[in-house]
Amino acid sequence: MKLLVTGGSGFVGSNFIRYMLGAYPDVSVVNLDKLTYAGNPANLADVENEPRYSFVKGDIADAAIVESILSEGGFDAIVNYAAESHVDRSILDPKAFLTTAVFGTYTLLEATRKFAIPRFVQISTDEVYGAIMEGETLESAPFEPRSPYSAAKAAADHLVASYWSTYQTPVVITHAANMYGPYHYPEKLFPLFITNLIEGKKVPVYGDGMLVREWLHVDDHARAIDAVLRRGVLGESYNIGTGDRLPNIEITKKLLALLGKDESSIEHVKDRPGHDRRYALNSQKIRRELGWEPKIGFDEGLATTVEWFKANEAWWKPIKSGEYQKYYDAQYGGDRVS
Ligand code: NAD
Ligand code: TYD
């Protein structure tokens, strides 16, 4: 199987590439990534000399680059991970979110048609469904995005679905829960809190901390995308979830315990504007129809993720002391602390 993976130098895409190359000797991957602040070649340092892996620096919205890669021929699928992914950044400056999600996805869809690629997998999020105050969301639920990030992702998903109805472009869409695991950029809840606690800093809990997310280990996600690539029905969408739903404050307390800290390390800060209070996926369809299920329980995944960050300071320390620090200071310095 020959794959074009876009956004493969970020958190979720790099773990997918590592998983596929490790699990299957007959899989080869071309990774097209723009290397934004979140794209980091160090995420794939262990496979960069692998002959079945190659990297192209470029933008998915650049048709010339996309077409030059696909002209090599032989691609079985495109898996589109490329996106701006952080809700807080989308609130500060939505433009790049829209450009990549809408024009980037459009460019890949056109190339899928032109080169008759057999399968296009759009990696999306449960956030397109909006806040789910009770019960669970099915794939058939309407999109009600409430942040510029989720609105941009929903726009891309609508476009992908429209290519199926209009041109029968062979697409599949996935909606995954919040992920955690190794190589997670330290602006998101898990890696920010773990690394802050290792550094002896406080952790900024937004609002009342009672916001609920559903949590999925990034390796379980890689296995789900593998199943979607091999058995996913064209034109369908699949939720990928675990049922592991916890309020942020409970996760924070688990992290404090794992890292030997007490609640004096918690700093309550102003809430995110438009903050979705709860996400909850019904993921029976992928379990029933594709035979996937998560293998990594939440407490086990949390503990191994903490261990990974403890063992890999050389990966995250340069990120936290670089460009990211300016963003962090702007977010949490001064008036954000209530
Ligand atoms: P990330 O920010 O860590 O990585 C995104 C990657 O995309 C980076 O390597 C970046 O350089 C690249 N990229 C951005 N714009 C690009 C462009 N125009 N052209 C080429 N490359 C570009 O994000 P992530 O957490 O790895 O998320 C990957 C995908 O998974 C996204 O589509 C996101 O919506 C989806 N997703 C993530 C989560 C999660 O919890 N992290 C959950 C559900 C879905
Ligand atoms: P995040 O990791 O940004 O993912 P998303 O917003 O895409 O769900 O945030 C997860 C939850 O943690 C969300 O409810 C916001 C909250 N959060 C904090 O309380 N403090 C923080 O510093 C961050 C980054 C997130």
Side-chain angles (χ1 to χ4, degrees), residues 147-333:
S147 72
Y149 163 67
S150 53
K153 293 294 291 184
D157 294 353
H158 280 311
L159 191 65
V160 173
S162 80
Y163 269 61
W164 170 248
S165 358
T166 308
Y167 309 109
Q168 291 77 52
T169 307
V171 303
V172 186
I173 301 173
T174 60
H175 297 288
N178 277 67
M179 283 175 242
Y180 67 97
Y183 302 100
H184 203 177
Y185 193 85
E187 65 186 350
K188 308 276 168 67
L189 178 74
F190 271 71
L192 175 67
F193 281 24
I194 295 169
T195 58
N196 272 14
L197 292 172
I198 293 173
E199 292 179 304
K201 295 181 186 162
K202 294 191 179 211
V203 292
V205 173
Y206 294 169
D208 62 6
M210 291 308 292
L211 302 106
V212 172
R213 298 287 181 268
E214 178 162 333
W215 291 98
L216 169 70
H217 193 281
V218 70
D219 288 345
D220 277 330
H221 181 262
R223 283 187 276 273
I225 301 309
D226 182 16
V228 166
L229 270 172
R230 291 168 196 278
R231 298 185 292 283
V233 177
L234 297 177
E236 294 289 318
S237 68
Y238 297 90
N239 289 342
I240 308 172
T242 55
D244 291 329
R245 300 171 194 141
L246 293 92
N248 296 335
I249 194 72
E250 227 176 278
I251 293 173
T252 306
K253 288 179 182 168
K254 283 177 185 280
L255 291 175
L256 293 174
L258 283 168
L259 287 150
K261 303 284 180 184
D262 62 31
E263 292 187 20
S264 65
S265 294
I266 295 178
E267 188 162 42
H268 287 280
V269 301
K270 278 186 196 162
D271 208 352
R272 172 189 282 171
H275 200 166
D276 288 338
R277 284 204 73 85
R278 180 173 177 270
Y279 299 132
L281 285 174
N282 180 311
S283 51
Q284 290 310 311
K285 181 176 172 182
I286 190 169
R287 294 168 193 242
R288 192 176 59 241
E289 296 182 10
L290 306 190
W292 170 88
E293 61 177 10
K295 290 187 180 165
I296 304 171
F298 183 73
D299 285 329
E300 177 200 349
L302 192 65
T304 55
T305 300
V306 166
E307 287 311 309
W308 188 88
F309 277 91
K310 277 182 166 165
N312 288 278
E313 291 199 2
W315 178 82
W316 57 263
K317 282 232 155 125
I319 300 173
K320 283 192 94 171
S321 60
E323 184 274 341
Y324 170 65
Q325 190 62 45
K326 290 181 222 143
Y327 161 79
Y328 185 87
D329 290 344
Q331 278 285 83
Y332 303 114

Side-chain angles (χ1 to χ4, degrees), residues 72-108:
E72 275 180 15
F75 285 92
D76 297 295
I78 298 176
V79 190
N80 181 26
Y81 286 89
E84 292 293 331
S85 67
H86 191 36
V87 173
D88 293 325
R89 287 185 190 251
S90 83
I91 294 168
L92 294 173
D93 187 2
K95 191 174 175 187
F97 287 75
L98 289 159
T99 315
T100 292
V102 179
F103 290 105
T105 304
Y106 155 76
T107 305
L108 295 175

